[in-house]
Amino acid sequence: MTYEIEIGRGKRGRRAYGLDDIAIVPNRRTRDPRDVSVSWQIDAYKFDMPVIAAPMDSVMSPATAIRLGELGGLGVLDLEGLWTRYEDPQAQLDRIAELTAEVPSPVVIRTLQEIYQAPIKAELITQRLAEIRASGVTVAGSLTPQRTQEFYETVVAAGVDIFVIRGTTVSAEHVSKTTEPLNLKQFIYELDVPVIVGGAAGYTPALHLMRTGAAGVLVGFGGGATTTTRRALGIHSPLASAISDVAAARRDYLDESGGRYVHVIADGGMGSSGDIVKAIAMGADAVMLGSVLARAEEAPGKGWHWGAEAHHPEMPRGDRALMGTVGPLEEVLFGPGHHTDGTSNLIGALRRSMATTGYSDLKEFQRVDVVVRPRQ
């Protein structure tokens, strides 16, 4: 069976689906939501929910990473963000928030580019990670592939538990005529901590990343609500198909490696609890969330949301978006919900969907029936 369609006489393309294109179908017994487990484990680290906070300054500060860890999730700090460029970044966060919605986008982007011109300080990386570690929660930090060689020794020495290498697109083999590329396989082999790497959006690149020894692969291009990569670069991969493709790579690599399981983590484009549910139904083990957590009262962005793409010095491909505020982080995750649009009680919604379809844990729920539906 082929899913390719003819676009024109000279080009064919594979049909792909986003999360909005699919729906979950209850086809078996139901169960009590209180009997459902949403716990998740990667390497030696177990979490009460399959939620990883995206390493974005509008979402994660050391304080919010600690709070999310206390609630049972994993907060990932952007080690190239404001918290490692400024001793006290609050003035810069206030400056970003004070740019109203009426301010033209080029002015916002220029301001972000100016703010993020400050150099990254290795001592601040150490300080921020130590602050999180002192709280007793799992410590995770993120670097882009371009900065990994420069700062990874500082990160590991600071005592990080999980290391994230996150970029728009990350491949196991980067080719450059001007710089020495990161040898991902050798790098991961030499580290003593589990590494999550991505994004990847297809079977082959994901399989190559799994072969490097990564503990988890990020699926998608991240950015979600703020990215303009599709408009700027013409690059986009509908997430439902991408997750399914990478889950197939996970299955085949499990056989190839003799039983080594690599976790699939959906990253970006999940703005509601329903999106989270469908991402796991398509085969994700966990989700990396940005915009839905940016709506928490504790979020550093004060209801505004932006990513690293927005302040790229040469080719910005992201906006600062107004998410608004829903309530405290605990309410966003566990309720009680006061919103009908899937922006609060995210984990309660996941539990209820699993219970309604009769599944008791996340791995079982990956087998749930789905249908392709016309967009409403």
Side-chain angles (χ1 to χ4, degrees):
M1 178 182 291
T2 177
Y3 294 94
E4 283 195 347
I5 60 173
E6 188 176 275
I7 300 170
R9 294 189 179 186
K11 199 71 164 181
R12 297 178 66 85
R14 189 166 68 96
R15 187 185 299 274
Y17 301 97
L19 295 177
D20 286 342
D21 297 317
I22 67 166
I24 292 167
V25 181
N27 269 343
R28 50 185 280 173
R29 64 183 179 273
T30 58
R31 63 175 70 242
D32 191 324
R34 292 171 295 186
D35 297 334
V36 168
S37 170
V38 294
S39 64
W40 171 68
Q41 182 168 340
I42 183 167
D43 204 83
Y45 303 98
K46 186 171 183 179
F47 304 95
D48 295 336
M49 56 180 167
V51 170
I52 304 174
M56 304 170 80
D57 283 336
S58 55
V59 179
M60 282 288 104
S61 66
T64 51
I66 291 169
R67 181 60 180 145
L68 182 60
E70 292 170 344
L71 291 170
L74 176 63
V76 183
L77 191 67
D78 180 8
L79 301 179
E80 301 174 34
L82 297 176
W83 296 92
T84 59
R85 296 174 189 261
Y86 295 91
E87 188 70 40
D88 182 3
Q90 191 57 55
Q92 307 305 325
L93 290 166
D94 292 342
R95 185 180 172 190
I96 295 170
E98 286 165 3
L99 292 167
T100 65
E102 289 72 32
V103 175
S105 177
V107 175
V108 174
I109 298 305
R110 285 194 193 100
T111 303
L112 287 171
Q113 290 171 326
E114 177 189 333
I115 290 172
Y116 281 89
Q117 279 182 352
I120 300 167
K121 301 181 177 69
E123 63 271 19
L124 286 179
I125 292 178
T126 301
Q127 180 180 325
R128 304 309 185 194
L129 293 176
E131 183 179 340
I132 299 172
R133 174 164 293 284
S135 72
V137 305
T138 302
V139 184
S142 174
L143 291 171
T144 60
Q146 296 85 352
R147 297 278 193 174
T148 296
Q149 292 276 35
E150 184 178 358
F151 291 113
Y152 84 90
E153 290 181 347
T154 300
V155 175
V156 174
V160 72
D161 295 316
I162 297 175
F163 187 41
V164 179
I165 302 175
R166 183 178 188 253
T168 301
T169 303
V170 178
S171 67
E173 183 180 2
H174 178 69
V175 179
S176 174
K177 293 182 178 179
T178 58
T179 60
E180 182 67 27
L182 173 67
N183 185 326
L184 199 56
K185 186 171 185 177
Q186 180 180 346
F187 174 78
I188 292 175
Y189 177 79
E190 291 176 353
L191 286 184
D192 289 330
V193 299
V195 177
I196 297 172
V197 62
Y203 174 93
T204 300
L207 186 60
H208 289 168
L209 288 177
M210 292 173 186
R211 288 170 176 163
T212 67
V217 172
L218 299 171
V219 184
F221 297 124
T226 65
T227 186
T228 59
T229 298
R230 185 175 186 176
R231 296 200 299 272
L233 301 183
I235 296 174
H236 175 65
S237 182
L239 194 55
S241 293
I243 295 170
S244 180
D245 287 346
V246 178
R250 175 186 61 201
R251 176 200 61 212
D252 293 346
Y253 180 70
L254 187 69
D255 290 339
E256 174 188 304
S257 63
R260 185 173 181 272
Y261 189 91
V262 179
H263 296 268
V264 173
I265 302 162
D267 180 14
M270 291 165 288
S272 69
S273 55
D275 291 336
I276 297 168
V277 169
K278 289 187 280 187
I280 293 174
M282 292 307 298
D285 297 292
V287 292
M288 178 170 276
L289 302 178
S291 62
V292 291
L293 300 183
R295 298 186 179 107
E297 290 176 359
E298 298 94 327
K302 300 181 179 179
W304 291 98
H305 185 43
W306 66 92
E309 303 88 355
H311 56 78
H312 191 282
E314 299 169 0
M315 185 67 197
R317 49 192 183 275
D319 287 324
R320 184 198 58 150
L322 181 60
M323 298 289 106
T325 300
V326 167
L329 183 58
E330 185 170 6
E331 182 179 307
V332 170
L333 291 169
F334 299 112
H338 305 293
H339 305 76
T340 60
D341 58 358
T343 56
S344 63
N345 199 2
L346 305 177
I347 302 305
L350 175 60
R351 285 182 176 277
R352 189 164 294 276
S353 291
M354 292 171 64
T356 300
T357 52
Y359 294 91
S360 59
D361 61 44
L362 296 172
K363 199 63 197 169
E364 280 189 1
F365 188 58
Q366 292 173 352
R367 300 196 299 266
V368 69
D369 289 338
V370 300
V371 295
V372 177
R373 65 177 187 87
R375 294 199 181 202
Q376 300 297 319

